[in-house]
Amino acid sequence: STSQSWTKQFQVNLHGPVELTQLLSPYFAESSSVLNISSTLGLRPIANTSAYSASKAAMNSWTQSLALEWSKRKIRVNAICPGIVETPIQSFYKTTDTSLRDQINSAQPLNRFGQPQDIASMAAFLVSDEASWMTGSLIPIDGGILLNS
């Protein structure tokens, strides 16, 4: 049912990370960093993604609220908002259908969908000392797809 779909999306995409972060909160030292993985759909939804998009938008809001709340503890909180990344969760993962791959790639301004390393590189930066003045940031890593209207 629709209600079950919404409940599942919010349990997985919001409640799980919130509960884990709350459990770990006492162990965060000053200058720690929390990094959430959100989605471009939390920034700009598309049709037929309402529950997922709403859960990621809620995560974005929580990321920024927590960044404000935990700034007193010098704990930074940011989120990466990936676009289409080739992982096993995607239906086209490792497809040999070249027309499908071409169609997906052509929708991206950089003409390719993302790879896990694209996200990992930003994650490593955001939790490093080099990003010590970043908190509350929602960073799209999407090959420019948010630029398309």
Side-chain angles (χ1 to χ4, degrees):
S1 85
T2 302
S3 176
Q4 288 175 329
S5 172
W6 277 75
T7 299
K8 182 178 180 181
Q9 289 294 334
F10 273 80
Q11 285 175 335
V12 170
N13 296 329
L14 181 65
H15 297 271
V18 168
E19 289 175 22
L20 178 62
T21 303
Q22 288 172 339
L23 284 171
L24 294 175
S25 172
Y27 303 101
F28 285 116
E30 188 172 289
S31 300
S32 293
S33 178
V34 173
L35 179 58
N36 292 317
I37 304 298
S38 183
S39 172
T40 53
L41 294 175
L43 299 170
R44 184 181 303 156
I46 60 173
N48 303 313
T49 66
S50 58
Y52 180 83
S53 294
S55 70
K56 292 300 190 172
M59 171 172 273
N60 291 345
S61 181
W62 171 63
T63 296
Q64 293 182 321
S65 296
L66 197 61
L68 287 171
E69 292 167 15
W70 284 11
S71 64
K72 296 175 210 72
R73 295 174 57 192
K74 305 285 188 267
I75 298 172
R76 300 178 301 107
V77 186
N78 294 292
I80 292 175
C81 300
I84 299 171
V85 178
E86 189 172 22
T87 63
I89 201 170
Q90 296 292 349
S91 60
F92 58 82
Y93 181 62
K94 292 191 175 184
T95 183
T96 57
D97 182 341
T98 54
S99 68
L100 175 62
R101 292 184 81 82
D102 290 346
Q103 180 184 0
I104 295 168
N105 284 335
S106 68
Q108 318 295 314
L110 289 180
N111 201 36
R112 71 173 179 88
F113 40 74
Q115 296 300 313
Q117 186 59 43
D118 296 319
I119 308 309
S121 296
M122 179 56 72
F125 169 72
L126 286 171
V127 299
S128 76
D129 289 341
E130 293 179 21
S132 66
W133 206 49
M134 291 182 72
T135 194
S137 298
L138 308 173
I139 312 218
I141 304 176
D142 65 352
I145 201 162
L146 282 178
L147 300 172
N148 290 343
S149 34

